[in-house]
Amino acid sequence: MGQLQLYTNPQSRGRIAHWMMEELGLPYETVWLEYGTTMKAPDYLAINPMGKVPALKHGSAVVTEAAAICAYVADAFPDQGLRPTPGTPESAAYHRWLFFAAGPLEQAVVARSLGWAVPEGRNAMVGFGSYEDTLNALERALSAAPYVCGERFTAADVYVGSSVSWGLQFGTIEKRPVFEAYAHRLQIRPAAIRAHALNEAHLAHQG
């Protein structure tokens, strides 16, 4: 379908997509954007009207949102082995926890970080129920095996792992042993190390 172009900024969720591209192991172009200028320029708004990163162009196809980029890349290049076989129990876990992290987990963490309290008796109205229930569900899932789908690393771990790692780093996710062990397993992956180095190098160049 054409060249892969990642639009990103090192101080954004674009780091998730950047890690995913490194796990993919295929050539891609990184387009660095800046807040308030190139990220809001007409040519980029034609790609993502939200004026946010990350965004991925694959030929004429455009994907935004970090979780969607992870899923799209894994689907577009199945030979790279970043997704389970569709219709299997592993695929069910893959989709379940990828969307859990992009939905309930992010909602719960953001609500807690901003001091938003769910009114008493209204937990059923929010997707995450409660912060405690959300973390307990994630802890149970990550206690069962090294990765979201079991023994095998997938694109879901890029997104879930990024969410857990950032939460631990910034104190928005409780430091439970299961979370810390999972984050460590992912942070030492060569692709994660490469993506981190690329983003840090760009930050240093900007400075």
Side-chain angles (χ1 to χ4, degrees):
M1 286 181 62
Q3 184 180 20
L4 289 161
Q5 293 176 300
L6 174 66
Y7 296 82
T8 187
N9 179 285
Q11 295 177 304
S12 75
R13 289 176 175 84
R15 285 192 180 233
I16 303 173
H18 218 148
W19 175 15
M20 184 65 197
M21 300 309 295
E22 287 298 315
E23 291 285 355
L24 181 65
L26 297 176
Y28 68 95
E29 177 189 0
T30 303
V31 182
W32 300 101
L33 299 179
E34 303 304 323
Y35 288 102
T37 55
T38 50
M39 212 177 289
K40 301 297 183 182
D43 57 343
Y44 184 64
L45 291 177
I47 295 170
N48 184 2
M50 290 286 286
K52 298 174 66 177
V53 292
L56 179 71
K57 282 190 70 177
H58 181 203
S60 61
V62 175
V63 191
T64 63
E65 314 314 316
I69 290 171
C70 290
Y72 174 83
V73 167
D75 285 348
F77 302 94
D79 291 345
Q80 301 306 108
L82 291 167
R83 69 169 190 184
T85 302
T88 62
E90 291 77 15
S91 182
Y94 170 88
H95 287 93
R96 177 184 181 181
W97 297 108
L98 175 61
F99 285 96
F100 180 89
L105 180 60
E106 179 161 346
Q107 292 172 18
V109 167
V110 169
R112 183 179 177 89
S113 299
L114 296 178
W116 296 343
V118 179
E120 187 175 353
R122 297 294 185 90
N123 295 78
M125 295 184 65
V126 294
F128 60 90
S130 73
Y131 176 82
E132 292 75 17
D133 287 347
T134 301
L135 291 198
N136 289 341
L138 182 63
E139 183 178 27
R140 285 195 295 271
L142 298 180
S143 298
Y147 302 107
V148 166
C149 296
E151 299 296 323
R152 174 186 173 188
F153 173 89
T154 67
D157 291 296
V158 174
Y159 192 84
V160 177
S162 295
S163 300
V164 171
S165 295
W166 286 355
L168 293 173
Q169 179 181 352
F170 294 109
T172 57
I173 288 180
E174 295 172 1
K175 289 186 176 181
R176 302 182 183 184
V178 169
F179 296 156
E180 292 179 311
Y182 177 65
H184 178 71
R185 277 195 296 276
L186 299 179
Q187 289 167 354
I188 62 174
R189 290 183 63 83
I193 293 171
R194 289 195 303 271
H196 177 75
L198 288 168
N199 281 270
E200 291 301 307
H202 186 76
L203 275 175
H205 177 71
Q206 285 181 311

